[in-house]
Amino acid sequence: MELGEILSDALVYPFQNIKALIVYLILGIILGIAVGGTVSAVMVGSMANNALTVIGSGIIGIIIALFIGFLITGYQLDIVKYGIERSNGAPGIDIVRQFINGVKFFAVYIVYMIIPIIISAILAVIFQHWLAGLINFFVSLIFAIALMMGQCRLAKTEDIFYAISVGEAIGDISKVGILKVVLFIVLIFVISFVLLFVVGLITQWNSTVGGILLGILGVYLVFFNGRATGLLYSDV
């Protein structure tokens, strides 16, 4: 698909799946409540010098936040998968499968991020700081794009070993077209920035309305980015 087709499809996709958008928004609200409640409980426990309350609240809050966070991530992967399949539908909630896939993506993320960190450490020893920094930038960029391919590979197959095949993921970049991928990232950034800027202006006018729109926009951008990424990968 051409970039114009990908972006136009992704921009309207969330509006075609309002029910799924609301489901995801609810999950995000629950996650926010869990995190906020945990922070409040820990602060109250700390002020009361109650170590048991602090530890208990922290552990329970972390467990709830991780569970919902992994579930949301798994849901995001399904949005990407629907894009790869060029399906106009939207995912429903499949708690066990999506939670497991969320955990898988967390592992995939660590693999793709740890490699450039190791390379950067080695380069810092071998080269001068400015040269090491320049090389590190390009290495990090390549692996960030490869992670996007890895995300698509996981969404498509749900196979973690297929997703962490870093060499093959980098090969997928060339299949899509490096120039196309870079332009895609730039356009996604520009569109997201413009939408956030508009909502920011509304927030200055009315903080309540702006805050609500900001929450909705955050969910919209997740659907938009996931859909666009899946469509980009659909030609691989």
Side-chain angles (χ1 to χ4, degrees), residues 139-151:
V139 170
S140 299
L141 179 62
I142 291 171
F143 274 87
I145 297 174
L147 174 61
M148 185 169 68
M149 299 294 108
Q151 179 190 34

Side-chain angles (χ1 to χ4, degrees), residues 9-86:
D9 181 298
L11 282 168
V12 300
Y13 175 76
F15 297 113
Q16 296 172 342
N17 297 281
I18 297 297
K19 185 184 293 186
L21 205 67
I22 293 173
V23 169
Y24 194 94
L25 182 60
I26 291 172
L27 288 174
I29 291 172
I30 294 173
L31 178 59
I33 292 173
V35 173
T38 300
V39 173
S40 298
V42 169
M43 290 179 63
V44 171
S46 298
M47 293 174 64
N49 293 320
N50 190 328
L52 185 61
T53 300
V54 173
I55 296 173
S57 301
I59 292 175
I60 294 173
I62 289 171
I63 291 173
I64 294 174
L66 285 176
F67 176 79
I68 300 175
F70 286 140
L71 178 61
I72 289 175
T73 302
Y75 193 86
Q76 289 176 342
L77 288 171
D78 280 349
I79 295 174
V80 175
K81 182 176 182 179
Y82 274 62
I84 294 173
E85 296 174 348
R86 300 188 184 181

